[in-house]
Amino acid sequence: MRYGSTKKILVTGGAGFLGSHLCERLLEQGHEVLCVDNFFTGARRNVAHLLDNSSFELMRHDVTHPLFVEVDEIYNLACPASPVHYQFDPVQTTKTSVHGAINMLGLAKRLKAKVLQASTSEVYGDPEVHPQPEEYWGRVNPVGFRSCYDEGKRCAETLFFDYYRQHKLAVKVVRIFNTYGPRMHPNDGRVVSNLIVQALKGEDITIYGDGSQTRAFCYVDDLIEAMMRMMATGPEVVGPINIGNPGEFSIRQLADLVIELTGTTSKIVSRPLPPDDPRQRRPDITRAKEVLGWEPSVPLREGLTKTVAYFQQLMRE
């Protein structure tokens, strides 16, 4: 499906896992793409296959500093999204969410451009409501180890809505739930990549607690489709809108499936639960179905098979 006429589109965090897939899709649609990344978690290899495309430009830049470019639309994806990375420098993580949002909103205001914020299910914290609808305000620890990311993203949403109300800016906010697929960082500490890498190396497979905590896993292609549909909506659609897969699996179920797909002889071992780790996480995607006409289509087994193949190739290189 094609979304609108040809545009010059800025993707911050464009060399990251999600950003690289988004850049690819936008180029397929015939758009010009400016990919901006500081390469803290993004990697040049994720977009190396796009560099020969005359409609693609790669720029090293940190969104905590102002950016002066001319574009029609902005997808703001810049921010480390895994605990290993966002806890490495928590102050910088908060700056990336907050200063990055301010800079991208300022750019959008100057250009009268449409701007989409890639927010997160982490704004719901360790939820008391299940599944999580957009109306739920969340249960977040403001002073914990995950707060730099959770509260940074919550503040970014506040800024987007204040720019919308105060400056009539065309903003879009999506809340992304667990997403997986090729180009995930092998050392990002996220559960899908963790389990696959451990299995392929023949190491013990680590789960936390008894593995009964649940997550909903969305394959990257489905997620990117939802983001592009959101950007293509009219000015009356602001969000926030949950995008993710409502299929709920326990971490233990995921580990068992990874063992099956990799054929590993690895054993599952249990470690203590980290602080503020949510017990349940599943999106209510009613709004996405109604407003975007979207729901995910890739089953977990199919998506994991593709993801395992990617990591197998990566480990052979």
Side-chain angles (χ1 to χ4, degrees):
M1 186 182 294
R2 180 169 174 77
Y3 305 108
S5 56
T6 300
K7 298 181 178 71
K8 178 73 177 284
I9 300 175
L10 166 63
V11 180
T12 72
F17 163 47
L18 293 181
S20 62
H21 285 276
L22 176 60
C23 289
E24 207 169 57
R25 282 290 307 279
L26 292 171
L27 289 168
E28 287 171 5
Q29 296 268 307
H31 299 298
E32 293 181 55
V33 175
L34 172 59
C35 169
V36 166
D37 208 295
N38 70 349
F39 299 111
F40 174 57
T41 57
R44 187 180 175 88
R45 61 165 291 136
N46 288 339
V47 293
H49 62 296
L50 305 177
L51 292 172
D52 289 336
N53 189 322
S54 60
S55 295
F56 180 76
E57 182 181 353
L58 176 62
M59 177 190 296
R60 181 189 289 268
H61 180 82
D62 189 317
V63 295
T64 61
H65 302 288
L67 181 63
F68 301 99
V69 293
E70 302 294 320
V71 294
D72 303 305
E73 292 179 350
I74 302 166
Y75 287 84
N76 186 37
L77 276 63
C79 189
S82 71
V84 166
H85 291 134
Y86 66 63
Q87 291 170 0
F88 174 77
D89 187 346
V91 172
Q92 184 64 21
T93 295
T94 304
K95 283 182 176 180
T96 301
S97 285
V98 177
H99 292 187
I102 290 169
N103 286 330
M104 290 307 109
L105 287 162
L107 177 63
K109 180 186 172 191
R110 179 176 71 82
L111 299 174
K112 296 181 172 56
K114 197 185 293 187
V115 56
L116 181 144
Q117 168 68 2
S119 191
T120 171
S121 60
E122 296 293 339
V123 300
Y124 299 121
D126 188 4
E128 301 156 302
V129 174
H130 191 75
Q132 293 81 57
E134 291 88 350
E135 294 77 16
Y136 177 53
W137 290 353
R139 178 172 173 263
V140 176
N141 177 358
V143 294
F145 289 105
R146 302 170 72 102
S147 307
C148 58
Y149 184 69
D150 300 6
E151 296 288 33
K153 288 288 193 177
R154 285 165 69 95
C155 185
E157 285 197 17
T158 300
L159 286 161
F160 266 71
F161 275 85
D162 284 339
Y163 266 77
Y164 167 69
R165 287 184 286 252
Q166 187 173 337
H167 301 296
K168 306 296 185 286
L169 195 63
V171 308
K172 311 284 178 185
V173 177
V174 292
R175 290 176 178 164
I176 298 172
F177 282 68
N178 284 56
T179 307
Y180 71 98
R183 299 187 206 138
M184 293 184 82
H185 196 293
N187 303 314
D188 67 4
R190 290 194 242 192
V191 63
V192 171
S193 50
N194 252 12
L195 298 186
I196 291 175
V197 169
Q198 288 172 338
L200 291 176
K201 288 181 175 179
E203 299 173 351
D204 287 341
I205 289 180
T206 307
I207 63 173
Y208 296 93
D210 61 4
S212 63
Q213 65 270 41
T214 63
R215 296 293 185 269
F217 302 102
C218 186
Y219 189 64
V220 61
D221 290 356
D222 284 333
L223 195 284
I224 297 304
E225 175 68 20
M227 290 178 71
M228 292 174 65
R229 288 191 185 203
M230 182 64 170
M231 183 64 98
T233 56
E236 74 285 354
V237 179
V238 179
I241 290 184
N242 290 337
I243 52 177
N245 195 320
E248 190 174 6
F249 295 87
S250 72
I251 300 303
R252 183 68 191 229
Q253 287 175 302
L254 178 68
D256 288 340
L257 185 52
V258 167
I259 288 171
E260 179 191 337
L261 294 175
T262 57
T264 185
T265 56
S266 298
K267 301 291 186 291
I268 295 176
V269 298
S270 181
R271 297 281 185 267
L273 274 172
D276 302 325
D277 191 52
R279 295 293 306 170
Q280 290 182 304
R281 185 63 62 69
R282 174 161 69 96
D284 180 331
I285 63 166
T286 303
R287 191 176 290 180
K289 289 179 180 178
E290 292 174 351
V291 176
L292 307 179
W294 173 89
E295 60 183 311
S297 62
V298 179
L300 182 61
R301 177 180 289 271
E302 179 185 333
L304 276 180
T305 300
K306 294 178 180 178
T307 309
V308 167
Y310 168 76
F311 279 110
Q312 286 173 326
Q313 177 64 34
L314 190 66
M315 291 169 69
R316 281 196 293 266
E317 292 177 1

